[in-house]
Amino acid sequence: PTLTGYVLLFVPLVVAPIVIIGRIVRRLSKETQERIADVSSFADESLNGVRIMQAFTHEAVDRERFGERVEGAFQTSIRRIRARALLTAIVILLVFGAIGVVLWLGGRSVIAGNMTGGDLSAFVFYSIVVAGAVGAISEVVGDLQRAAGGAERLFELLETEPEIQAPDNPVSFPEPARGAVAFESVTFQYPSRPQVSALDAFSLDVSPGETVALVGPSGAGKTTVLQLLLRFYEPQSGTIRVDGVDIREADPAALRSRIGLVPQDPVIFSCDVSDNVRYGRPDASEADIRAAVKAAAADEFIDAMPDGMATHLGERGVRLSGGQRQRIAIARAILRDPSLLLLDEATSALDAESELLVQEAL
């Protein structure tokens, strides 16, 4: 009983540093993940903008900045590993110290005739089993804290509540879709610039089948109107209606399913031409895709590609010119055949002849 009491006394002494230093390991693990994310983000940005980097002879500066981020991640990793090593060293010291104390006390008991050598040998064996288990706990806790630190970043994203959500009982849009749009005294400020109104008491009424052009200088709010219509943001005041339904009372997915968008900066995915065009309508047939491509005046350059519609376009459409990317985006919107088509300077990168063809097709 005396030796057992000493062993049980040492267990909390071993567990205490596991808990305390384990928290430090967890914090450093999270910080390491953040620094690695910085490295990955900078590398991705630099590779995607490599032509601009070379055009402005910025390689030396970017190389130095990348080195700083890598060094930051490396130093954070070193601090984490040092904390983990300190935890292991402390646990080993306490465990073997406890075994040494048990051997010393047990040896004195054997000499005094209070216990036999066999009892001491058995007890030391049990003590080593307990010590090994406690030591394993330190390793497991260290791994768990490291994993928890990395997972915290993921949980932060998963637990983020989107500001734009469908109401509990969404209002259905009328069928068939008509494409009527109404802005009623809409005022909106971007969250990053709450003191400046991108739109101030803006009103607009678009009838089904009507074509309306929003004209103004850069920053006048043309793209903002489209983003509000897609419900990427909520206006501070006013109402937006589509087919007579207040879009705040409708399911955002139902709203967006009626809209086709050609953005100012066309997005091309890392897949072939067909998959890019059918992105908004995955069940489209090859004939429908071909018709949309022809309507967007994109068939000529696509047919000239090595594999035609099956040609892989590279990451972000790196194998295409700006005008070609725009025409692919236009074909994607045409194929969707929406009741409401939003064109955000969709033909700005097209030559006059191609622009005329696209306009006629639209």
Side-chain angles (χ1 to χ4, degrees):
T2 303
L3 294 180
T4 302
Y6 279 108
V7 170
L8 294 178
L9 180 63
F10 272 97
V11 169
L13 293 178
V14 176
V15 172
I18 292 176
V19 174
I20 296 171
I21 301 179
R23 290 173 180 171
I24 299 175
V25 171
R26 178 171 180 166
R27 178 178 57 80
L28 291 174
S29 294
K30 182 182 179 183
E31 190 176 339
T32 300
Q33 293 295 325
E34 292 172 349
R35 299 289 79 78
I36 292 174
D38 291 341
V39 173
S40 301
S41 176
F42 187 85
D44 180 65
E45 185 179 75
S46 299
L47 290 173
N48 285 311
V50 66
R51 293 175 180 173
I52 299 298
M53 181 201 304
Q54 291 175 333
F56 285 88
T57 61
H58 209 258
E59 295 94 333
V61 176
D62 282 355
R63 188 180 297 114
E64 183 179 348
R65 290 177 178 175
F66 180 72
E68 290 172 356
R69 285 166 171 77
V70 171
E71 184 64 25
F74 179 64
Q75 293 299 330
T76 305
S77 297
I78 286 179
R79 292 202 303 273
R80 176 182 59 79
I81 292 170
R82 281 176 177 166
R84 179 77 180 271
L86 177 64
L87 172 62
T88 303
I90 290 175
V91 169
I92 290 175
L93 176 64
L94 292 174
V95 164
F96 281 97
I99 293 174
V101 170
V102 167
L103 276 172
W104 179 66
L105 293 173
R108 292 185 60 177
S109 297
V110 170
I111 293 173
N114 296 328
M115 68 183 302
T116 66
D119 289 340
L120 176 60
S121 299
F123 195 88
V124 168
F125 173 74
Y126 296 142
S127 299
I128 292 174
V129 171
V130 172
V134 174
I137 288 175
S138 73
E139 288 295 314
V140 171
V141 169
D143 288 335
L144 286 175
Q145 295 292 1
R146 179 185 176 188
E152 275 186 19
R153 286 174 56 82
L154 297 178
F155 287 126
E156 287 174 2
L157 292 174
L158 291 172
E159 292 172 357
T160 301
E161 290 291 335
E163 294 182 6
I164 308 297
Q165 291 186 331
D168 295 333
N169 298 301
V171 176
S172 300
F173 287 100
E175 295 291 347
R178 297 169 56 243
V181 175
F183 281 71
E184 301 171 0
S185 300
V186 172
T187 298
F188 172 70
Q189 297 98 25
Y190 282 100
S192 58
R193 293 173 295 169
Q195 69 280 3
V196 179
S197 292
L199 296 176
D200 188 10
F202 175 77
S203 295
L204 175 68
D205 193 9
V206 183
S207 302
E210 187 178 3
T211 300
V212 174
L214 302 179
V215 183
S218 295
K222 303 184 296 295
T223 300
T224 301
V225 172
L226 306 189
Q227 291 181 336
L228 290 174
L229 189 54
L230 284 159
R231 210 181 168 204
F232 292 155
Y233 297 95
E234 294 279 32
Q236 277 71 35
S237 64
T239 304
I240 304 172
R241 301 183 188 277
V242 173
D243 287 345
V245 176
D246 186 342
I247 63 174
R248 285 175 295 192
E249 299 176 356
D251 186 342
L255 167 68
R256 294 164 188 164
S257 67
R258 294 172 170 243
I259 299 176
L261 172 67
V262 182
Q264 193 171 8
D265 184 17
V267 176
I268 303 299
F269 298 96
S270 183
C271 52
D272 61 26
V273 176
S274 292
D275 287 339
N276 266 287
V277 175
R278 64 155 61 98
Y279 188 80
R281 191 175 144 201
D283 58 345
S285 66
E286 291 298 325
D288 291 337
I289 295 173
R290 170 60 63 175
V293 165
K294 187 174 182 179
D299 54 334
E300 184 177 346
F301 77 83
I302 290 174
D303 291 338
M305 290 179 173
D307 298 317
M309 298 291 291
T311 301
H312 196 277
L313 300 181
E315 188 173 353
R316 301 188 184 183
V318 69
R319 298 180 180 179
L320 301 177
S321 67
Q324 289 172 338
R325 283 197 294 269
Q326 236 172 8
R327 277 180 275 183
I328 293 291
I330 292 169
R332 181 191 298 155
I334 291 175
L335 180 64
R336 183 158 187 165
D337 193 22
S339 61
L340 187 59
L341 182 60
L342 307 182
L343 305 173
D344 191 0
E345 299 188 26
T347 58
S348 60
L350 302 184
D351 57 76
E353 183 179 358
S354 297
E355 184 174 6
L356 180 63
L357 292 172
V358 169
Q359 287 174 350
E360 289 177 351
L362 290 173

